């Protein structure tokens, strides 16, 4: 039985070092990690597959390295038939195994390729050589990769991953409208997700329709071409301003779901205009008095070396800085930068343990505190300036239509974090410059001017792809793309192709399952292994899996499972324990069919722990077989089909005919969570979760407090309401101590609000040239607030209350009813938030 993840380290006491470090174990100014940054990763698939047939299921902690299994040789029941053993079984002991066809790992490139931009059919307009930089390719040698790549693949569409994270469109979609006519389906998207089901529409195909202005309740005629300002009228006929604008041009909605949709290398657009990408601002050197220390002495670093040191200094109190691999990779890359940009005072930095980055860390923390201390007005102004600057980069013109762009910001330089036990975590991510980026744009469109010095690497006009810009990052050699936003027409069409392909599988799935069930007893080892792998992919939500290089994280899928990842338990249980995509731990104990159990026993015979479980099957051969079963069928399509079927089944189990909107939302999220759990979409509990939940509970209590005061006011007006069960006491989680603390909190807020209003009023009077209000006015206001809260204090425990403004009984009853519904809905929100704390609903795995 595999062991669970190791316990978290306990806090270690700080001790002073002679060099001025305050460090529990290591130097470098590190203390116990107080918070951890979230992992940064760009992944491509949003799969939500099936596990409905699973009888026993156990999920463990996410993102933890599975321990090695010490497997004793088990004693299994003897097979009742010779049919269980294939003719071509595994050899007794392999000294030199025969070569097995393997699917190559995703290729990567060395840093800063200057070759032609690929994946494009258009003509290249501009090309430039990369400019020399402070600490890029000329400072660090390229890391080893499996094979060199000269052309980025033609990707269709990928959802955006902004720095702000995460992305809420990646939950199973509830439904989509299917066209009444049959569409051509030639390819599937990179993503997998649930099928969306809805009744087919019978409307004729239309390219564009006008969204009618909502004029319900108005006698005005419907506008034919333009929507005009609609003035509401009061009973006496006086007009009331309904909108800010006098005239508003009607929006045009492109009905992409009614357009002809084809996959493959077909034309995706005719014209495309955009403004490129936003580069991060240039590095600003630290103040002269902020310096890292080496062996207790301050070091005068040039800007290039100081910037990289600052990357580590900012992460000093995170879990990353406690990781040996992270520290090793960072220091190796930083040393290469130091060779080109040595310290100005001649310090020779050779030992990581003698480095102290705490002065940098303390400076960064102080700057964060300053930003948090900004007034709300200052924050609004800063946000407005940022939004105004980014406005032109957020949209593009696609065939004359304005469409939103997803990830239009270039990732800033920093230290690679990765997920799980990635071998390259801590490596230096170079600053991306215009010379690294290929722009894809229409032939007659103006070439965008980058907001950073330099010229684009190349400008292409390939209308068979959907990306707007691409470049190759230096750490893993992965291609980064800028796509349209998730709600764009191209993304919608891509999703529609994906779901339609999965829907097509419905007509073939019974036959396919019969075929692989028959092959579970095949006499040919390769066929039996393939059938068993298909069983896992179909029933257990496992991915196909690919081979990994030595410089990649040890993540596996179905075809790349090793014997150490699978343990057999009588009578028919299989325990899976491995790291899946993005280093998410997959740990489940599954009750499988007897024949599958026997097959795994046979596949493991005469093999070591590090041998492949399926040594006769790889991803390429598996997908080739799936294509022979149904055109375009892959393991991804299975996941999409099963996820959607499961999601719909879970939704159908609840009767929501008389439910509130929040109850329906909770049912949707509950079904979504169940599918996500079955698909192993896990995450660590956010560090701010408890704090966030406490704020929500505090708000819930404050709503109950308001309701309590209304009830008491009702009792004060008419004591007969005390006998009404509708107004019985239901504020059991509000005690006397909480009420006292809450009223003191309210009083402090009211006093602060009065003071701010007094200052604001005087500022306005001064601008108008009038006399400002004397301080006595403020004192009167504060005294009135104090008197109000003294009354509240006297009302405690009396079950009687007086409202500030008199209300009739009917209005109080109405207010209580509204608060009751609001409390019920907010309680459901709390329940929903807490239930999803360990489930990654937006994970794209």
């Amino acid at each position: 039985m595999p062991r669970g993840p190791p316990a978290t380290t306990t806090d270690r006491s700080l001790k002073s070092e002679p060099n001025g470090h305050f460090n529990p174990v290591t130097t470098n100014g590190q203390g116990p990690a107080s918070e951890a940054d979230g992992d940064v990763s760009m992944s491509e698939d949003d799969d939500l597959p099936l596990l409905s047939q699973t009888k026993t299921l156990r999920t463990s902690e996410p993102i933890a390295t599975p321990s090695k299994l010490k497997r004793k040789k088990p004693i299994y029941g003897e097979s009742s038939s010779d049919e269980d053993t294939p003719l071509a079984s595994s050899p007794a002991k392999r000294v030199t195994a025969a070569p097995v066809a393997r699917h190559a790992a995703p290729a990567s490139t060395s840093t800063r390729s200057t070759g032609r931009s690929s994946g494009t059919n258009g003509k290249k307009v501009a090309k430039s050589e990369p400019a020399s930089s402070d600490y890029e390719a000329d400072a660090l040698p390229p890391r080893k990769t499996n094979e060199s790549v000269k052309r980025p693949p033609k990707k269709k569409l990928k959802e955006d991953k902004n720095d702000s994270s995460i992305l809420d469109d990646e939950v199973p979609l509830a439904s989509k409208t299917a066209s009444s006519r049959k569409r051509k389906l030639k390819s599937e998207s990179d993503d997998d997700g649930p099928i969306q089901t809805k009744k087919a529409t019978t409307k004729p195909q239309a390219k564009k329709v006008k969204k009618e202005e909502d004029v319900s309740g108005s006698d005005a005629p419907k506008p034919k071409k333009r929507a005009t300002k609609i003035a509401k009228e009061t009973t006496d006929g006086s007009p009331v301003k309904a909108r800010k604008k006098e005239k508003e041009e009607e929006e045009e909605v492109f009905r992409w779901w009614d357009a002809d949709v084809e996959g493959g290398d077909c034309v995706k657009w005719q014209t495309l205009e955009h403004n490129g990408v936003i580069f991060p601002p240039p590095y600003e050197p630290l103040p002269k008095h902020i310096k890292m220390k080496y062996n207790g002495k301050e070091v005068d670093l040039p800007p290039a070396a100081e910037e990289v040191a600052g990357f580590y200094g900012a992460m000093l109190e995170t879990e990353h800085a406690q990781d040996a691999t992270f520290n090793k990779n960072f220091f190796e890359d930083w040393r290469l930068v130091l060779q080109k940009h040595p310290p100005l005072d001649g310090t020779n930095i050779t030992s990581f343990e003698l480095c102290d980055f705490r002065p940098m860390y303390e400076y960064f923390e102080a700057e964060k505190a300053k930003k948090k201390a900004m007034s709300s007005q200052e924050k609004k102004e800063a946000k407005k300036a940022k939004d105004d600057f980014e406005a032109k980069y957020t949209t593009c013109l696609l065939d004359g239509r304005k469409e939103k762009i997803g990830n239009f910001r270039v990732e800033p330089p920093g230290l690679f974090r990765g997920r799980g036990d990635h071998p390259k975590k801590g490596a230096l991510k170079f600053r991306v410059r215009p010379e690294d980026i290929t722009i894809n744009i229409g032939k007659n469109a103006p070439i965008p001017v980058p907001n950073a010095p330099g010229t684009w690497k190349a400008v292409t006009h390939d209308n068979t792809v959907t990306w707007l810009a691409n470049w190759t990052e230096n750490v893993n050699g992965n291609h980064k793309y800028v796509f349209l936003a998730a709600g764009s027409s191209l993304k919608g069409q891509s999703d529609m192709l994906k779901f339609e392909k999965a829907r097509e599988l419905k007509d073939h799935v019974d036959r396919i399952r019969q075929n692989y069930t028959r092959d579970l007893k095949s006499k040919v080892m390769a066929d039996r292994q393939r059938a068993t792998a298909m069983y896992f992919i179909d029933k257990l939500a496992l991915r196909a899996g690919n081979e990994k290089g030595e410089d990649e994280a040890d993540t596996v899928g179905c075809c790349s499972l090793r014997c150490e990842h699978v343990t057999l338990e009588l009578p028919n249980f299989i325990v899976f324990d491995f790291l899946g995509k993005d280093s998410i731990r997959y740990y489940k104990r599954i009750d499988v069919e007897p024949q599958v159990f026997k097959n795994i026993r046979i596949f493991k015979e005469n093999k070591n722990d590090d041998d492949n479980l399926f040594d006769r099957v790889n991803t390429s051969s598996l997908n080739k077989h799936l294509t022979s079963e149904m055109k375009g069928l892959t393991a991804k399509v299975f996941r999409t089909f099963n996820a959607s079927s499961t999601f719909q089944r879970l939704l159908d189990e609840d009767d929501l005919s008389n439910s509130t909107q929040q109850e329906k939302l909770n049912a949707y999220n509950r079904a979504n969570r169940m599918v996500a759990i079955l698909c192993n979409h896990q995450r660590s509990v956010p560090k701010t979760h408890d704090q966030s939940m406490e704020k929500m509970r505090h708000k819930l209590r404050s709503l109950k407090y308001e309701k309590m005061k209304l009830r008491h006011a009702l009792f004060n007006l008419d004591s007969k309401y005390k006998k009404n069960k509708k107004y019985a006491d239901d504020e059991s989680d509000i005690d006397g101590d909480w009420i006292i603390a809450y009223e003191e909190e309210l009083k402090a807020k009211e006093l602060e609000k009065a003071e701010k209003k007094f200052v604001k009023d005087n500022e306005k009077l001064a601008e108008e040239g009038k006399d400002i209000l004397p301080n006595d006015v403020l004192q009167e206001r504060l005294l009135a607030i104090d008197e109000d809260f003294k009354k509240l204090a006297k009302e405690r425990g009396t079950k009687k209350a007086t409202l500030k403004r008199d209300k009739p009984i009917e209005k109080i009853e109405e207010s209580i009813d509204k608060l009751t519904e609001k409390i019920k809905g907010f309680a459901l929100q709390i329940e929903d938030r807490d239930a999803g704390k360990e489930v990654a609903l937006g994970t794209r795995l």
Side-chain angles (χ1 to χ4, degrees):
M1 179 70 67
R3 296 188 297 273
T8 56
T9 57
T10 57
D11 293 335
R12 296 165 290 184
S13 59
L14 300 175
K15 58 182 180 179
S16 178
E17 297 291 344
N19 55 14
H21 302 171
F22 290 93
N23 185 359
V25 177
T26 63
T27 53
N28 311 312
Q30 299 180 37
S34 60
E35 60 175 299
D37 294 355
D39 293 334
V40 177
S41 174
M42 294 183 69
S43 51
E44 300 174 2
D45 303 329
D46 51 344
D47 310 338
L48 289 172
L50 171 70
L51 199 54
S52 58
Q53 292 84 354
T54 303
K55 298 180 182 177
T56 307
L57 212 154
R58 193 170 66 195
T59 309
S60 71
E61 295 292 330
I63 315 180
T65 307
S67 55
K68 291 285 183 178
L69 305 176
K70 294 182 179 179
R71 298 185 289 109
K72 297 180 181 179
K73 187 170 183 179
I75 301 175
Y76 306 106
E78 294 297 329
S79 173
S80 59
S81 170
D82 293 336
E83 292 180 358
D84 294 328
T85 305
L87 295 176
S89 58
S90 300
K93 191 73 177 178
R94 293 179 297 160
V95 180
T96 56
V100 179
R102 297 174 184 265
H103 186 66
S108 59
T109 61
S110 61
T111 59
R112 307 217 174 280
S113 170
T114 57
R116 288 181 61 88
S117 171
S118 59
T120 57
N121 298 332
K123 181 174 65 176
K124 185 176 297 184
V125 175
K127 177 180 175 182
S128 63
E129 294 298 323
S132 61
S133 56
D134 291 335
Y135 57 82
E136 275 105 51
D138 53 352
L140 276 71
R143 294 180 179 272
K144 293 180 180 180
T145 54
N146 294 335
E147 57 179 296
S148 61
V149 170
K150 296 182 180 179
R151 304 184 59 174
K154 280 191 179 182
K155 293 201 171 186
K156 297 296 175 287
L157 204 63
K158 180 170 70 175
E159 291 186 19
D160 55 292
K161 288 250 180 180
N162 292 344
D163 295 339
S164 60
S165 266
I166 253 55
L167 310 149
D168 299 325
D169 57 306
E170 298 169 78
V171 296
L173 303 175
S175 58
K176 276 191 181 179
T177 305
S179 176
S180 58
R181 56 189 172 70
K182 188 174 180 180
R183 297 182 178 88
K184 296 179 181 179
L185 300 173
K186 292 190 177 181
S187 71
E188 61 168 322
S189 124
D190 290 337
D191 312 327
D192 294 334
I195 301 175
Q196 305 147 351
T197 56
K198 255 194 182 179
K199 293 181 181 179
T201 179
T202 57
K203 293 180 181 180
Q205 177 179 348
K207 295 292 182 181
K208 295 184 180 180
V209 294
K210 289 189 175 181
K211 187 187 291 183
E212 294 296 327
E213 195 81 33
D214 185 7
V215 291
S216 58
S218 172
D219 295 333
K222 293 182 180 180
K224 293 182 179 180
K225 293 185 178 181
R226 291 179 178 271
T228 58
K229 175 185 174 184
I230 300 172
K232 295 182 181 178
E233 293 187 355
T234 59
T235 54
D236 59 356
S238 59
V240 179
K241 188 173 182 180
R243 290 176 177 79
K244 293 182 179 180
K245 296 181 180 179
E246 291 186 0
K247 289 186 179 181
E248 191 175 81
E249 192 168 328
E250 228 172 81
E251 253 183 274
E252 289 189 347
V253 178
F254 175 56
R255 296 176 64 90
W256 52 262
W257 51 91
D258 284 336
D260 291 329
V261 181
E262 292 186 2
D265 293 337
C266 64
V267 173
K268 303 294 191 303
W269 48 267
Q270 299 297 329
T271 62
L272 175 62
E273 294 184 27
H274 59 86
N275 290 294
V277 292
I278 294 181
F279 292 90
Y283 175 67
E284 296 182 5
L286 299 177
K288 295 294 184 183
H289 65 283
I290 305 297
K291 299 180 184 299
M292 67 157 289
K293 296 179 180 179
Y294 185 75
N295 199 17
K297 297 180 181 180
E298 292 185 344
V299 182
D300 189 9
L301 293 173
E306 181 186 74
E307 181 181 15
V308 180
F311 295 154
Y312 187 86
M315 303 173 67
L316 195 60
E317 291 293 342
T318 68
E319 61 184 10
H320 300 288
Q322 315 299 323
D323 187 277
T325 303
F326 187 93
N327 293 338
K328 174 179 173 294
N329 288 335
F330 155 71
F331 193 64
E332 287 179 355
D333 285 358
W334 189 42
R335 284 287 307 278
L336 295 174
V337 175
L338 289 171
Q339 290 177 9
K340 184 179 180 183
H341 306 278
L344 301 178
D345 55 8
T347 304
N348 186 20
I349 299 177
T350 58
S351 173
F352 174 76
E353 286 71 22
L354 297 179
C355 297
D356 180 10
F357 302 93
R358 187 158 293 276
M360 290 181 165
Y361 169 78
E362 292 173 349
Y363 171 76
F364 295 140
E365 289 299 303
E367 290 299 303
K368 287 182 184 178
K370 287 181 183 178
K371 288 184 178 180
K372 288 183 179 179
M374 291 170 61
S375 66
S376 58
Q377 184 62 29
E378 290 174 330
K379 290 179 180 178
K380 286 180 182 178
E381 291 175 357
K383 184 178 184 304
K384 184 179 183 304
K386 178 175 176 289
D387 292 343
D388 290 344
F389 171 72
E390 294 181 349
K392 69 176 184 179
Y393 297 95
T394 59
T395 60
C396 70
L397 282 178
L398 183 76
D399 292 338
R401 304 183 309 271
K402 183 178 284 189
E403 300 258 12
K404 288 186 177 181
I405 300 176
N407 50 329
F408 53 85
R409 300 181 189 90
V410 174
E411 293 180 1
L415 302 182
F416 177 69
R417 303 176 191 183
R419 285 180 177 266
D421 192 21
H422 200 290
K424 290 186 178 180
K425 55 187 174 183
L428 176 61
K429 292 193 300 183
F430 296 157
R431 181 179 293 274
V432 178
R433 304 185 186 278
E435 289 79 8
D436 307 310
I437 295 181
T438 297
I439 292 292
N440 190 28
I441 203 165
K443 288 184 178 180
N444 299 322
I447 298 175
V449 178
N451 71 306
T455 57
W456 304 116
K457 174 182 178 181
V459 178
T460 62
H461 317 292
D462 188 356
N463 59 3
T464 65
V465 296
T466 58
W467 55 265
L468 311 184
N470 81 60
W471 64 93
T472 304
E473 56 91 18
N474 66 289
V475 177
N476 296 302
N478 294 331
H479 299 295
K480 301 289 185 178
Y481 293 86
V482 174
F483 290 101
L484 297 185
S488 65
S489 60
L490 291 180
K491 175 59 180 172
Q493 291 171 345
S494 175
D495 283 344
M496 185 170 67
L497 284 172
K498 174 184 64 178
F499 291 124
E500 289 295 337
K501 177 59 67 174
R503 185 175 283 112
E504 183 185 347
L505 176 58
K506 184 178 180 180
D507 299 329
H508 304 271
V509 69
D510 291 338
R511 172 179 53 79
I512 294 172
R513 285 171 176 167
Q514 289 175 1
N515 290 344
Y516 76 63
T517 300
R518 182 190 65 244
D519 287 343
L520 289 174
K521 295 183 178 181
S522 173
K523 290 291 184 179
V524 180
M525 174 65 84
D527 292 347
R528 184 179 287 208
Q529 288 192 3
R530 185 190 63 220
T532 307
M534 288 179 64
Y535 174 89
F536 289 156
I537 289 171
D538 183 19
K539 307 296 185 183
L540 307 182
L542 299 186
R543 287 183 177 77
N546 289 309
E547 289 296 321
K548 299 290 181 181
E550 294 181 358
D551 57 350
E552 297 179 89
D554 185 22
T555 58
V556 299
C558 184
C559 295
S560 52
L561 283 171
R562 297 192 294 271
C563 293
E564 62 184 327
H565 298 140
V566 179
T567 305
L568 298 175
E569 294 182 1
L570 293 174
N572 296 311
F573 290 99
I574 298 180
V575 178
F576 293 88
D577 191 357
F578 60 89
L579 292 183
K581 189 172 183 179
D582 290 334
S583 296
I584 302 296
R585 187 185 185 191
Y586 186 100
Y587 180 84
K588 291 177 183 177
R589 182 175 181 265
I590 310 297
D591 187 2
V592 298
E593 295 181 8
Q595 185 60 46
V596 174
F597 183 88
K598 293 175 182 178
N599 286 352
I600 297 300
R601 183 197 67 189
I602 294 170
F603 299 161
K604 293 185 68 173
E605 286 179 353
N606 302 317
K607 289 184 181 178
N608 297 321
D609 283 352
D610 57 352
D611 290 334
N612 285 341
L613 180 67
F614 300 111
D615 52 357
R616 309 292 176 89
V617 179
N618 57 39
T619 307
S620 298
S621 63
L622 177 63
N623 280 330
K624 185 176 180 181
H625 174 75
L626 291 175
T627 303
S628 68
E629 295 277 13
M630 185 192 96
K631 185 177 180 181
L633 179 62
T634 64
K636 289 182 179 181
V637 179
F638 256 114
R639 293 171 62 83
T640 305
F641 169 79
N642 285 327
S644 302
S645 301
T646 304
F647 183 71
Q648 189 64 56
R649 176 178 57 79
L650 292 171
L651 281 181
D652 293 341
E653 290 176 358
D654 296 322
D655 182 12
L656 304 174
S657 54
N658 298 319
S659 302
T660 64
Q661 183 176 357
Q662 186 61 47
E663 288 172 337
K664 292 177 181 178
L665 180 60
N666 275 33
Y668 175 90
N669 287 339
R670 184 163 51 250
N672 196 0
R673 278 195 303 272
M674 292 303 298
V675 175
I677 290 171
L678 297 178
C679 299
N680 203 44
H681 287 185
Q682 303 179 60
R683 67 171 181 175
S684 299
V685 179
K687 294 185 179 298
T688 59
H689 176 75
D690 291 340
Q691 182 181 358
S692 175
M693 293 302 299
E694 185 54 39
K695 286 182 179 178
M696 294 184 74
R697 294 188 188 102
H698 181 75
K699 183 178 179 181
L700 180 64
R701 294 189 191 102
S702 67
L703 293 174
K704 290 183 176 181
Y705 173 85
E706 291 180 33
K707 181 181 176 183
M708 179 189 72
K709 299 304 287 186
L710 288 173
R711 287 193 306 104
H712 292 174
L714 194 62
F715 298 161
N716 194 28
L717 293 174
D718 193 341
S719 60
K720 72 178 182 180
Y721 282 96
K722 292 182 180 180
K723 298 179 181 179
N724 192 333
K725 293 183 179 180
K726 181 179 179 181
Y727 303 109
D729 183 7
D730 62 347
E731 295 94 18
S732 57
D733 53 342
I734 297 180
D735 56 21
D737 292 338
W738 185 90
I739 291 174
I740 293 173
Y742 181 64
E743 289 180 352
E744 288 296 326
E745 178 187 332
L746 287 179
K747 180 180 178 181
K749 288 181 179 179
E750 288 296 320
L751 293 173
E752 182 183 2
K753 183 178 178 181
E755 290 173 350
K756 287 183 177 180
K757 187 178 186 305
F758 179 77
V759 173
K760 189 174 182 179
D761 289 345
N762 275 343
E763 289 177 352
K764 186 176 180 180
L765 290 172
E767 289 177 0
E768 296 174 352
K770 299 179 182 179
D771 294 337
I772 63 174
L773 298 173
N775 196 52
D776 293 343
V777 175
L778 174 61
Q779 295 304 319
E780 289 176 6
R781 294 177 182 177
L782 298 180
L783 185 61
I785 293 172
D786 190 60
E787 289 298 325
D788 289 339
F789 279 92
K790 283 181 179 179
K791 291 180 182 179
L792 287 178
K794 290 179 181 180
E795 293 172 353
R796 294 170 191 161
T798 64
K799 291 196 174 182
K800 292 183 179 181
T802 304
L803 301 178
K804 285 185 178 182
R805 296 182 181 87
D806 291 336
K807 289 184 179 181
I809 289 180
E810 294 78 11
K811 288 290 184 182
I812 296 177
E813 289 179 325
E814 183 181 343
S815 298
I816 291 176
D817 290 340
K818 288 181 179 179
L819 269 175
T820 301
E821 289 301 314
K822 191 172 183 179
I823 288 170
K824 181 181 177 182
F826 197 72
L828 288 172
Q829 288 183 35
I830 294 176
E831 176 188 334
D832 188 55
R833 175 77 65 87
D834 194 48
K837 62 185 178 182
E838 293 182 303
V839 180
L841 296 182
T843 301
R844 307 184 62 208
L845 300 180

